[in-house]
Amino acid sequence: MDRRALLAAGSAALAGCLPLRGSPRTPGANANEPQLRAEYEYLPGDSAYRVRHAAGNEFTAENTGALVVRVDPRDERANSRLWAGTDVRADDSDDGGATQSFPVGVGDEIRVPAPSRGDVRVVWTGPDGENSVSLDVYRAEEQPTPTPTPRPTADGTATEDG
């Protein structure tokens, strides 16, 4: 028997005999949620975080009910700011309304007041208002430690800001 024919026949015979391992994988829970990668910067002079949409999907009224940035400082009350949409859970958001109308795309940014550093989350809520998920998180322990900046004083000495 020809070697190629033997290999083909053996492969076909084995293909029907091998058991399937488990059931097919189901898609993850976030398969239909928009994707986002943000850039974060703490602005100590403004006591705020600047959050910039760096990569990912465009957020529109069709795919988003609300896009909220939430800051959870250590030892202080959390603060949220509505980036775009309808704030469906305004329990700790300021009453200023959305800072931007749809769409929110790459390059758009928002400032969120924060008296001190903390975890920052970008939270997406679906257009139905029922599903929500943190799309991106900037954890306090991942943030760079501020370096003191010398600042001259009236008497000619220097103090450090940090």
Side-chain angles (χ1 to χ4, degrees):
M1 183 179 221
D2 184 75
R3 185 176 350 152
R4 283 184 242 167
L6 179 62
L7 289 174
S11 297
L14 287 176
C17 298
L18 295 175
L20 293 175
R21 299 198 187 270
S23 58
R25 190 176 98 100
T26 56
N30 66 350
N32 294 321
E33 296 154 6
Q35 301 298 305
L36 170 89
R37 185 177 61 79
E39 293 174 347
Y40 303 87
E41 180 182 8
Y42 184 68
L43 308 167
D46 296 340
S47 296
Y49 276 95
R50 178 180 19 222
V51 180
R52 183 176 174 274
H53 185 326
N57 297 107
E58 183 175 77
F59 296 87
T60 65
E62 289 76 34
N63 68 7
T64 303
L67 191 61
V68 176
V69 179
R70 179 181 174 97
V71 179
D72 293 312
R74 309 279 189 237
D75 305 326
E76 296 183 39
R77 186 174 180 270
N79 188 23
S80 297
R81 172 98 9 121
L82 179 62
W83 196 341
T86 305
D87 197 355
V88 291
R89 286 174 286 160
D91 53 355
D92 62 347
S93 182
D94 65 359
D95 285 330
T99 60
Q100 179 178 335
S101 58
F102 287 120
V104 174
V106 173
D108 291 334
E109 60 184 46
I110 183 175
R111 286 183 188 225
V112 181
S116 63
R117 293 173 179 267
D119 294 340
V120 184
R121 299 178 192 287
V122 179
V123 180
W124 170 85
T125 302
D128 59 4
E130 293 186 25
N131 298 318
S132 69
V133 67
S134 290
L135 296 179
D136 201 35
V137 179
Y138 186 44
R139 300 196 187 285
E141 58 270 8
E142 298 170 355
Q143 299 174 25
T145 304
T147 54
T149 307
R151 183 175 46 93
T153 60
D155 63 359
T157 60
T159 62
E160 293 184 347
D161 292 336

